[in-house]
Amino acid sequence: GEEVAQTPKHLVRGEGQKAKLYCAPIKGHSYVFWYQQVLKNEFKFLISFQNENVFDETGMPKERFSAKCLPNSPCSLEIQATKLEDSAVYFCASNDGNRWDTEAFFGQGTRLTVV
Amino acid sequence: SQQGEEDPQALSIQEGENATMNCSYKTSINNLQWYRQNSGRGLVHLILIRSNEREKHSGRLRVTLDTSKKSSSLLITASRAADTASYFCATGTGANSKLTFGKGITLSVRP
C-alpha cells in the first residue's frame, strides 16, 4: 500500500493479558521501525527490521516484548503479560533503505491502554 | 538529557506571525529531520537536512543546521491556524538508523 497501516487503532487489555499489534509497511519498503510514545511525549525507539531480519533491537525491553516481520505478512509487536506502564501509543514506520538519509513514513499508531 | 532537545516547549502565536523552534542534540549525526504530529496522531515528515547542509527550504518552512553547535532551527513563516500541532526534531546517525526524538514543541496558532 501507499501508507503504513497499523491495526488495531485502539486496544484495551487487562493487566497481565497479551497484546499484539500489527503493521503493514509501505509496499517496497525494506525497513520497519517500532516506536513507543508515552503521554504525547518523546518517541522511544524499540526495534527495527530489514525485511524479516532484526536490524537494531537496542531499544527493545528484554522481557515481555517481542516482534517479528515475516514474509508476506504484516509485522507484529507482541507484549506478553502487559503492565500499566505499557500504556502508550505504538507507532510503526518504514523506509525504502535505498539512501543513507531517507525519511521514515509513520503509521497512525495503535493506542494501547492497560487497565 | 535527551538527544534532540527542543525549545521552547510551548509556543503560542497569532496567525500570520512567524514561529521559530530550536533543537539541540548531543552526538554526531548524519541527518536531522523535523516532524509534525496533530493531536496524538501519526507523525508527518516535514523536512530532512543532511549533516553537510546548512540550510534548507520547503514552502513556508526553513530549516538550519549548525553542526558545530549541534543545533537546528525550524522556522514556519506566515503561520496558519492549521499549523497548530506538536513539532519534533529527530536525528539519524547512519544508514537506516533509528531516529532519536526530542520531547517536542507544542505550537498554537491563534486565528
Side-chain angles (χ1 to χ4, degrees), chain B residues 20-44:
Chain B
T20 299
M21 291 167 267
N22 302 302
C23 166
S24 61
Y25 57 91
K26 295 188 179 303
T27 63
S28 295
I29 63 171
N30 76 15
N31 69 80
L32 186 144
Q33 305 181 39
W34 284 90
Y35 286 84
R36 184 184 74 221
Q37 183 180 39
N38 291 85
S39 301
R41 299 185 64 190
L43 288 168
V44 173

Side-chain angles (χ1 to χ4, degrees), chain A residues 35 37 42 95 97 101, chain B residues 2 37 41 48 50 96 99:
Chain A
Y35 293 88
Q37 186 185 31
E42 64 214 83
N95 71 33
D101 59 352
Chain B
Q2 294 289 323
Q37 183 180 39
R41 299 185 64 190
L48 179 152
R50 299 180 179 89
N96 301 301
L99 291 173

